[in-house]
Amino acid sequence: MGKLAPKEHLSFNLENHAMTKQGLTGLFVYPDIPTTVFFDPNGSPDGLTQPWVALREGFCAQGVELVGLDQCCNDPDFELHLNVQAPRSKSPKFVILTEHPLIYPANGQRFLLRRYQSVFTWNPDLAIKQAQQIQLPHPFKVTGGVDGYGQRPQLVVLINSNKALAWWAPYQDLYRERVRAIRWFERHAPQDFALYGHGWNHSARQPVVGEIIHALEKRWIHRPLPPFPSWRGIAPTKSEVLRQSRFSIVYENAIFRGYITEKIFDAFCAGNVPIYWGAPDITDYIPKACFIDRREFSSYDSLYDFLKTMPEEIYKGYQQAIWNFLHSPQAQRFSIAHFVQTIVHGILDQVNASHKHSE
């Protein structure tokens, strides 16, 4: 198969979107990152800034300037928050929820969400009338195809930072399950496993006390051996590592319906077959033939046996299903173009209606 990427571009079909007022300004409120960095198209080798660059361009195409807090906007026509933030004006307010409440508790507070005109969220269970469902977007830069085992010497990789939930949530916490997977492979199949990411030169993070433990380790504890011997350091880019690996352990940080992050698509775009655990309704969004469902295995022993003995033709079948999905209309709900179109239309429809009502 070829390696052409799906058609992901910045034509958001906004040309016919009726504007009743030109020259609007939207204040984008997000964590403490300089605007020039947040909107830098080259700010991340894995494309993490691209959705926000595209969102700004989508608004610009409609005569709307989207500015950050460090650009001194005192009287915006609307505010757009990335996750729940403190209001900065009396203008209409909108929010994009990217984090779940176990990571960002304010996103689960309905009394805070009710102050927004629209809440753009991946969460299908957020039962408030302002909710509009979106999916977390991905650049869809495809670098791998249906190439089988040939150029993939590594059997399994895991690419994540060493993190933990802020609070104990044993029935939803998958950070701890990542550590279990790492430990199993280090003990039973070290030759077939590699770990990449920030922070694995320290012990596994723990909820609540993680910062304290790591602070003590940095100052007082000398380790003659690394806590995680499978650790290979920081990946130059995820794509580079995933293209050389057959499988990747792709666990979300917590279990929520509809919560599907970039991780599974990073694997897909590199032609890597993910071992997925996360959204329990994953097959409502992504065909089952595209990934290995970790929940179907009773142990890591059985999972490893399945991976190690998989015939190459079966592996290519997964890759072909991934290729077909990435180039299908079903995948477009995760595209940056769809993300931008949904948010720009959703906000401008309400802002313009409000201006008409006030005239």
Side-chain angles (χ1 to χ4, degrees):
M1 297 293 296
K3 295 187 179 181
L4 294 176
K7 293 182 179 179
E8 174 69 285
H9 48 72
L10 300 184
S11 63
F12 302 116
N13 299 320
L14 295 174
E15 295 84 357
N16 298 321
H17 186 75
M19 291 286 293
T20 58
K21 181 181 178 182
Q22 298 294 324
L24 301 178
T25 300
L27 177 62
F28 197 18
V29 184
Y30 48 86
D32 188 19
I33 302 171
T35 302
T36 53
V37 174
F38 195 83
F39 289 117
D40 182 358
N42 300 312
S44 165
D46 294 306
L48 297 180
T49 62
Q50 289 183 24
W52 313 113
V53 173
L55 184 63
R56 195 182 207 184
E57 292 177 357
F59 276 113
C60 183
Q62 297 303 303
V64 180
E65 185 180 11
L66 196 62
V67 301
L69 287 170
D70 54 357
Q71 295 177 315
C72 300
C73 179
N74 297 319
D75 189 24
D77 293 280
F78 66 88
E79 291 184 25
L80 176 58
H81 295 181
L82 176 56
N83 300 309
V84 171
Q85 306 288 341
R88 307 305 173 102
S89 72
K90 296 182 179 180
S91 303
K93 294 167 188 65
F94 305 85
V95 63
I96 304 169
L97 304 183
T98 60
E99 294 290 0
H100 58 74
L102 292 176
I103 291 288
Y104 199 92
N107 283 357
Q109 300 296 322
R110 294 192 181 186
F111 76 95
L112 295 176
L113 295 174
R114 289 193 183 102
R115 71 189 181 200
Y116 292 103
Q117 274 63 36
S118 287
V119 176
F120 299 99
T121 176
W122 48 266
N123 186 355
D125 299 323
L126 188 62
I128 59 173
K129 65 180 181 180
Q130 307 101 301
Q132 294 190 43
Q133 190 167 6
I134 57 166
Q135 299 307 135
L136 302 178
H138 196 274
F140 284 178
K141 184 179 179 181
V142 178
T143 60
V146 185
D147 56 6
Y149 292 161
Q151 301 301 313
R152 299 179 181 273
Q154 181 67 54
L155 184 69
V156 181
V157 295
L158 189 155
I159 308 173
N160 280 117
S161 295
N162 183 5
K163 295 182 178 180
L165 295 179
W167 313 105
W168 293 103
Y171 298 107
Q172 292 174 280
D173 186 356
L174 289 178
Y175 282 123
R176 294 190 300 171
E177 193 59 42
R178 290 177 191 166
V179 175
R180 291 190 189 101
I182 295 166
R183 292 306 192 197
W184 188 93
F185 276 95
E186 287 182 338
R187 292 189 188 103
H188 301 284
Q191 73 284 356
D192 285 326
F193 179 73
L195 170 66
Y196 293 86
H198 294 273
W200 297 107
N201 53 325
H202 301 291
S203 65
R205 290 287 295 270
Q206 297 292 328
V208 183
V209 297
E211 294 289 348
I212 297 173
I213 292 173
H214 280 195
L216 291 173
E217 286 183 339
K218 290 175 184 178
R219 175 165 293 196
W220 302 108
I221 300 176
H222 173 69
R223 292 181 179 273
L225 297 174
F228 292 90
S230 62
W231 186 50
R232 303 290 182 266
I234 311 302
T237 65
K238 293 180 183 179
S239 177
E240 183 177 331
V241 172
L242 291 167
R243 284 199 313 268
Q244 298 179 47
S245 310
R246 300 178 191 179
F247 305 99
S248 55
I249 294 175
V250 175
Y251 296 169
E252 306 292 4
N253 52 43
I255 297 172
F256 283 91
R257 276 175 23 93
Y259 183 65
I260 303 167
T261 65
E262 81 288 346
K263 300 175 185 66
I264 193 169
F265 290 96
D266 290 339
F268 285 169
C269 289
N272 178 288
V273 177
I275 304 153
Y276 183 80
W277 197 349
D281 56 347
I282 182 69
T283 54
D284 290 347
Y285 302 86
I286 298 172
K288 188 176 185 299
C290 295
F291 62 93
I292 297 165
D293 191 336
R294 172 62 182 85
R295 298 171 298 177
E296 295 181 353
F297 296 86
S298 60
S299 66
Y300 282 102
D301 296 81
S302 60
L303 173 64
Y304 176 69
D305 184 65
F306 178 76
L307 303 178
K308 188 70 173 178
T309 62
M310 182 182 292
E312 187 169 16
E313 287 308 307
I314 299 296
Y315 183 79
K316 286 184 176 180
Y318 280 106
Q319 289 184 315
Q320 186 64 62
I322 290 168
W323 178 270
N324 294 344
F325 169 67
L326 288 178
H327 294 80
S328 73
Q330 186 179 1
Q332 291 310 302
R333 72 170 83 179
F334 294 93
S335 70
I336 292 176
H338 182 74
F339 176 79
V340 171
Q341 182 173 337
T342 301
I343 293 170
V344 173
H345 277 178
I347 291 176
L348 294 187
D349 283 344
Q350 294 194 55
V351 170
N352 289 330
S354 175
H355 282 307
K356 282 184 178 180
H357 182 73
S358 63
E359 289 175 351

